[in-house]
Amino acid sequence: MECSVDVFVGNTTVIDPEIYQLWVDGNSAHEAADILQQRGILQQWGANMDLLMSDVLDHYRTFHMLEKTLHTPLKLTAAGEWTFQIDGDTQQMLIEKYYELDDVVVREVLGKKLSSRHRKDLDEVSEKTAISLRSCRRQFDNVKRIHKFVEELPGHIVNNIQHNFLLSTELSRKYAAVVFIAVNRFETTKRKLQYLNFSDFYHCAHQMIEHWSSTSCHATSIRNQPETEMEIETDLDVDRGFLHDLREVRILLDKEKELKHLVCSQLKGRLTDKIYSDMESSFKTHSRSLVLLAGNLNRSRELRSLFVDLVERCVEPLRQARWTSRDLRLFLDYYTPAGVQLFKSDSATALVWERYMKVISSCLVKIYHN
Amino acid sequence: MPGKVKVKILAGRNLPVMDRSSDTTDAYVEIKLGGITHKTDVFRKSLNPQWNSEWFIFEVDDAELQDEPLQIRLMDYDTYSANDAIGKVYLDLNPLLVTPGLSGRGIARAETCSVPSSGGTVLSGWLPVYDTMHGMRGEVSVIVKVELFSDVNKFRQSSCGIQFFSTPATPYGFKIQSIQGFVKELVVNDDPEYQWIDKIRTPRASNEARQTLFSQLSGEVRRKIGLKVLELGGNAVVGYQQMFDLEGVTGLVVRGIGTAVTLARCHSDGNSAVTWFKDQHHGNGRERESDRLRLHHSEPVLQLDDYDPLATSSLLPRFCRLQSLPMHEDSKQLPKKPPQLHGSNSSVKLLDSCGVVKVPAKRKLSLSNLFAKSSVKGKITRPQAPTSSNTLLVPGDDETSKGSPQTRIRSRSLICEMSPIQESYGDSVTESQENSPINKILVPTIIQPTDVISLPIGPEHNLLVPAEHFFSVLEPQESSSFRFQNAQDETCSSGSEMSLNSFALQAKSKVGQSFEQSFSSLLIDDSEDISSNVVLNATTYPPLPEMHPIFPYQIRSPRCTAISPVDVIKPLASTTITAPVVVHGTTPSRPTPCARRSSESEINTTPKASSLSDSFGSSGGGISSNCRPAAHRQTSVPAAPTNTYLNGVDVTRNLDALEYPFLTMKTYPPGFIVHVGGTVSARSVKLLDRINNSEEPETRDNWWTEIRMEVRSHARALGCAVILGYEEHTSISEEVCVLSASGTAAVVKLQHEVDTKDINHGKNNAVNTDDGKVNLPCRVCHIPYSKASIPFPIKLSRCAVCRKGKVPDVLIATIEPPTGMPVSGRGCLIQARLCRPKRAESRGDQQAKEISDGLPFLEYELHRQLINKLRTKGMNAIFHLKVQVSIGERHVVGVATGTALFLSALPTPSLPKPSNPSISSKQSKRGRIHKLLIEANAASQERYGLNKQLNKVNDVEEPKWTDSDDTDEDANDLDLTAGNKDSCVIEIDDIEDIDVIELLIDPETPEGFDVVTTETVPGLPIDSIRRRPNLQAFNRVWKGKIPTLHAARHLNRCFEMILRSIYFKLRKSRPCVITNLEFSVDLPEDDEIQITVLGTAITAFSKTTIEVAPCIGTSLRGVGSTESEMIFHLEDDVQLVTSNEQAASTARVNQPNRHIPLPPPSNQGPLKTSVDKAKIFVQKERQPVDIVTLIHLPGSRVERYLGHLNFFFIRESTSIREDGGLSGFMQSFITEVLGIVRAHVSALGGNAMVSYFMTQCVLLHNPHKNQGQCLINVGGDVVLAARCTPDKDV
């Protein structure tokens, strides 16, 4: 029926989770109505398409109004405006769904500068991921918004996101990873890295946030930095002092033989013969790449290309040698303590090595797949 | 002088960016009240400014307090250019004026004792900042306090303390001690939108000017009504309705109607009265006592007597009228206590006699006998001293005071003191005569003295005061003495004024064969604008014989002829009121027979005048403490037809004796309604003319008076003295305006009066007495008139419940179904819609005439449709009926919406039977239709449980029925062959009729929904919605095209669609009860129709969800632990303190009741937890504010009423397309409006709004300019409610 105004406004804002999901997914009102129709909603409620359309449009308008508020979720809840009256559970649902991330999309966004130039390229992302453009844009904007908001905030990034955007821990961690990678400008887009998915980066980022950042538990271990300085630190930055200290581990290059001996003696019998012999023969290469990587990380260019380096120097050679990821884990499990053992005279460096290897081992194992 | 408003601006948040370059705002705040403006400092570069200002103090007159909204305007400071407005907050201060400490006569007094809360006087919270061009723009945190000094000025203009309720029932926790009756007020102004200045100012300025004006006028109307209530001795207005008539170029009319009552707290009322009494009697001396009484319980009394100082004093030199305002409310409740203690007092009113009198030669004196202990008796002769105003003070020493204004009442300490200012006013006015501007300003106020008793006044203009009158008011037995026999009261009071307003009502009636032929009355305002003020009140009744039986009541009495043409729902009555043509000269010295202001109308045809005057002197108080002396009417209207007074009416003589025995409430205490007569209504078509003198809106007044008179006469014709559920509406299109008034004629009873009544009224009220004794639940349905006196064919039958009374076959009423009335099955929505085309080209008179001519047909059709639908549903009664007639350019639309139900007392309706006498070939078709009807009927019976109930009733009742000695009753039952009297025969002559039949069968309401227009679903067990239900007031606005072709069918489809879309929308909350559904229709443009639906959806928890229900409370709050904690600490400190207080009070309220403590207002701070951790949930989130259109909150209990809110918003946009089209614009507007309402509710310390209304929703659209504008009027009663704990229900 032709009409110019057709609205329904309740005192409690009416939210239909099903339609909301369709909206979040980037469907237009007509698409949403079609989808609902296919789901049999009309038969279920004895309605016709007009009614459905009117209802969907009504919801869409509500969502449209809500969207502004969703950009600053705090406004939606207790301290928020009076405009919408929505119960707590629904608020939570609204926010969570709005900030939902598709891993495939995030993977595409990852490492790119969050500028409007890239926003324009989202149609390619959409094409590639088969996620609707609207949804891609929403995710891009969300990442950008959160990035902008948390970038400068001191403290734990996950907590910051969680408190300011009221997201679940899981979702906050995703954003934290994205933000961390963006802030440290890690190279993620190289062709060689294409095989890595978001969960790989997610894992690595959180390993780094946990162990390498200024606020991580190891931070004060070496240099006694003044407390005040600590306070303004955020776990978004990799601990500069730590990176600086990492240069010390180059000593291992000189102690290569001992290292190899230690590792090999431990690993003997635990690896298959074929792998063991490969490890024995190319131990120098493997070890060198790990130690050199550590030694150079204090250069920010090196840090940025961490993933590329890991893949190029570690993953690819090992893959060629047909190591399994179990082999790799075993190797790393013994390689790290061996290094620690060699630093026994210098416990500080031993700690640094351990802190370094903890993250690297974990990351390597994670990204060692096809 | 008596008000001090303190305002503190704490902070703002989420303000819009006003400075693009820095992405911030340099905000400051202007606070304006009346003519005074204060400013805060500029808070630079922040979207969340913290002003934390000092207290801004406004010292204002209380009249101003009531009229003027507090305007808080946020501004953005610009160094180089003009400062930009961010937005505004309008704060209605009225809720803050009804302070527990100062409120009228004992409302909330008891409560104050137990809950010394500051909630009433302080408003604090975050209020949305609203801009008419941009919508919501952030929020501002304010604290507003009002300190009222007790105003002891008797002549003041304000009425603080009178509480307003839009709730059309007794507010929860109160009882009505007495009903003072109908109060009304009407204020006229120019609409700023149509003033020349509007052409040069910005849309924002224009919108704001309008919003401010609306706010002021709304306050003014309330203040003036409050004054009337004070005058009548009441302390509250219930069922208050306020309407804005946007007449366009001719101006703006704000109308308010309501019912003045004296409310008392339910529980502690008796006690307080006792204390008072003791106070009195153990005092030292009488004088002492009365003073003390004043001091302790002063306000009510004061207010009662207070009068607009300006108005009064200006009138002093002219006429003063003596009045008394006895109040007996207590005598009813506490017969053993001196009734007068509360507020009984007869006071002197200096009544204006309308200021137009040129020769102030003759005067009347005003007397006041406030707590007079010594009797005053005697004559007071007024010398003709033009310079002096005088008041006669009854009490004590200065019984006769005259001369200078300074002699005015001194003795009674505070009460009668007048400020010098007022006195000087009096003088100045005297000199300047009525032409002075002051005088003009006052005129609207003057309308008030409507329902006041006037004392007799001798021809020599002496005052003759019956001695008893002044006897101590403290003595109970004297309570009746407030009635005075009156001779020609008000003698010469409004001589010339009358002449202005008097009009001739010419009535001619032709009586056709079985119907009234065209009947028109011409109203001529003899002073001005004769030509423009043509009243077309004409109607033609077609001979519609089959329509007779459907009208339960028709009275054709030879004695009285009535103006009832326009009313179809009610009888084809043939009564005509012939009003005398009263043209007064300008000589005031000649006592005119009709001395009242014309706003009260001269056509006071009070048919029962004689009987009234008989019993008048001895009447014992009753409902109204101020009956209008009927005798005077008798004299003033010599031509008045005599007694059409039927049995049973005596019961209510007091109410009846009111000029307007109208009550605007829809729900009444059990036992109040004795009989329901039926719906009465009247319509009138008027041509809008320029209101020349907006201070004296006489034409508008007259229009309404006329209509009210008509409604009253209809009710009388039904043998009913009182009209319940009274409503007034207008529909305006161009220059034509249709006024409608409707209500339910009824016979009511005041419990305490039964005895006296029965003694008094002999045989006439045989039925009444009979029933009164038996007190049958079905009595309400019995006809209020005697069977013998019905001259028209109406089908009456024996009541199916008691077998004694007579009942009509169909009962239609505008009120809620009275409690205890036996109902079978459940009720359901019933709606009749009709659309008639109109010739678009006609203008002015022509158009008015056309509409007027068409109205009866429209109403008849509407009624026929309604009745047939009702029968198809197998039901026999309609309650809460609302009939709306809307006129537009091309169409006239009528919509009648009500709740159909089956009254056990009434006979089972017969199914409509299609008949097609002329064309036999269509037999098959007829058969098909018949089949359809039968099916629909069966479905309905099944759906609403009529079947079961019916059988049951029949089983039980059948034997009795046959036993009945009155066998001819049975024969009466159903006789389809009896000719065309039966409405249930539908003639099918042409295609259109077939349409009509198809319209009869409503599509079924989907399973799981119950839809009604009443408060609750009749017949639905209450427990089904007792459990913490989800409440959802909703606004549905639909606007679309209506084609000229098949308009009726299209209209029908629109309504169906709208209903179905509501069901569809609420599909996920089934099972669901939709209550109080209200439709309103506007025809804004040529072919456009706008339908606005308002209702409350109550999601009833079914058995399966019961277990879940208890969790709801916690789940609402228990979300997100850490983040909410955080949010929490963001709260402002000051806020916390106040909310803490509120929390404390709430806790106290709640504890004894074992309720979950209430959501005291918004922003609950952590401090709250320290108050009572065990009892109070930690409020981590903002407590939701419930809004319902109902008078109660299902699942909750109303603890306190915190005031009446009435908002008027305008929103304009020049980017409609970008805003998501007109729908997007409307949706965001309504959403924001609801948000603002919630914020105000919360700031007042409430957590819910009941009786929510949206009376105006005017949407204008200009697609070419991409521009749109919308006006909305919303409001309701703010309450603090305690939600029932789930375990309590389990």
Side-chain angles (χ1 to χ4, degrees), chain A residues 112-122 140 144:
Chain A
K112 282 181 187 160
K113 227 177 154 205
L114 299 169
S115 63
S116 51
R117 192 169 55 80
H118 278 108
R119 196 176 188 274
K120 279 185 204 125
D121 298 340
L122 285 174
F140 183 87
K144 192 175 162 185

Side-chain angles (χ1 to χ4, degrees), chain B residues 126-143:
Chain B
W126 287 97
L127 298 172
V129 177
Y130 177 80
D131 178 65
T132 58
M133 303 303 291
H134 294 97
M136 218 105 117
R137 298 187 108 188
E139 298 179 7
V140 62
S141 171
V142 297
I143 304 180

Side-chain angles (χ1 to χ4, degrees), chain B residues 180-199:
Chain B
Q180 273 77 23
F182 185 65
V183 278
K184 60 181 169 38
E185 185 57 67
L186 182 148
V187 171
V188 169
N189 208 305
D190 280 334
D191 193 336
E193 186 94 339
Y194 297 91
Q195 282 166 342
W196 66 269
I197 192 159
D198 205 57
K199 296 200 164 45

Side-chain angles (χ1 to χ4, degrees), chain B residues 471 795 946:
Chain B
F471 279 176
K795 260 188 351 196
L946 304 178

Side-chain angles (χ1 to χ4, degrees), chain B residues 101-121:
Chain B
L102 287 164
S103 71
R105 49 199 69 256
I107 294 204
R109 174 133 326 123
E111 166 195 47
T112 326
C113 305
S114 58
V115 189
S117 157
S118 56
T121 40

Side-chain angles (χ1 to χ4, degrees), chain B residues 36-148:
Chain B
I36 314 156
T37 307
H38 291 296
K39 281 180 195 174
T40 65
D41 298 331
V42 177
F43 193 91
R44 292 208 168 264
K45 304 217 177 295
S46 170
L47 299 182
N48 299 292
Q50 302 287 323
W51 292 288
N52 222 343
S53 73
E54 79 264 34
W55 288 100
F56 298 111
I57 295 172
F58 299 87
E59 288 173 345
V60 263
D61 188 15
D62 48 0
E64 210 172 359
L65 268 180
Q66 288 189 295
D67 285 7
E68 294 285 340
L70 178 70
Q71 302 181 44
I72 299 169
R73 182 200 290 270
L74 271 75
M75 299 289 288
D76 173 53
Y77 175 80
D78 281 328
T79 321
Y80 301 109
S81 57
N83 297 341
D84 297 321
I86 298 173
K88 263 176 127 175
V89 176
Y90 287 89
L91 262 183
D92 185 350
L93 295 173
N94 278 300
L96 298 183
L97 302 179
V98 186
T99 62
L102 287 164
S103 71
R105 49 199 69 256
I107 294 204
R109 174 133 326 123
E111 166 195 47
T112 326
C113 305
S114 58
V115 189
S117 157
S118 56
T121 40
V122 178
L123 178 147
S124 86
W126 287 97
L127 298 172
V129 177
Y130 177 80
D131 178 65
T132 58
M133 303 303 291
H134 294 97
M136 218 105 117
R137 298 187 108 188
E139 298 179 7
V140 62
S141 171
V142 297
I143 304 180
V144 181
K145 288 184 183 175
V146 175
E147 281 175 21
L148 264 189

Side-chain angles (χ1 to χ4, degrees), chain B residues 275-409:
Chain B
T275 355
W276 282 30
F277 184 49
K278 280 180 182 160
D279 245 11
Q280 278 303 295
H281 282 256
H282 301 139
N284 305 337
R286 280 185 173 262
E287 202 154 328
R288 249 264 132 69
E289 289 159 18
S290 52
D291 283 347
R292 251 171 77 184
L293 189 83
R294 275 302 127 59
L295 292 173
H296 290 187
H297 307 289
S298 51
E299 313 79 22
V301 178
L302 296 177
Q303 289 165 357
L304 181 80
D305 300 324
D306 277 324
Y307 230 35
D308 173 353
L310 298 181
T312 335
S313 44
S314 71
L315 295 163
L316 288 178
R318 315 248 158 68
F319 296 100
C320 306
R321 199 156 34 154
L322 180 80
Q323 313 162 307
S324 72
L325 288 182
M327 301 227 358
H328 309 94
E329 68 274 14
D330 282 350
S331 63
K332 302 283 121 35
Q333 308 296 338
L334 314 156
K336 303 222 166 123
K337 318 262 173 319
Q340 302 75 13
L341 289 181
H342 253 129
S344 79
N345 38 25
S346 359
S347 64
V348 172
K349 286 281 137 80
L350 298 179
L351 263 205
D352 92 275
S353 38
C354 51
V356 215
V357 185
K358 300 267 192 235
V359 192
K362 317 279 180 182
R363 275 154 219 288
K364 284 195 247 167
L365 277 190
S366 293
L367 285 190
S368 113
N369 70 334
L370 289 167
F371 289 84
K373 35 187 178 65
S374 60
S375 70
V376 172
K377 125 169 85 156
K379 295 179 181 179
I380 298 142
T381 321
R382 277 292 308 135
Q384 299 182 359
T387 46
S388 64
S389 60
N390 42 60
T391 318
L392 177 69
L393 182 68
V394 178
D397 2 85
D398 37 24
E399 27 179 284
T400 331
S401 66
K402 43 185 165 181
S404 77
Q406 286 77 14
T407 55
R408 212 167 282 151
I409 308 159

Side-chain angles (χ1 to χ4, degrees), chain B residues 577-597:
Chain B
I577 293 174
T578 349
V581 184
V582 192
V583 183
H584 300 279
T586 38
T587 353
S589 57
R590 192 190 77 189
T592 51
C594 205
R596 224 167 312 114
R597 219 193 101 83

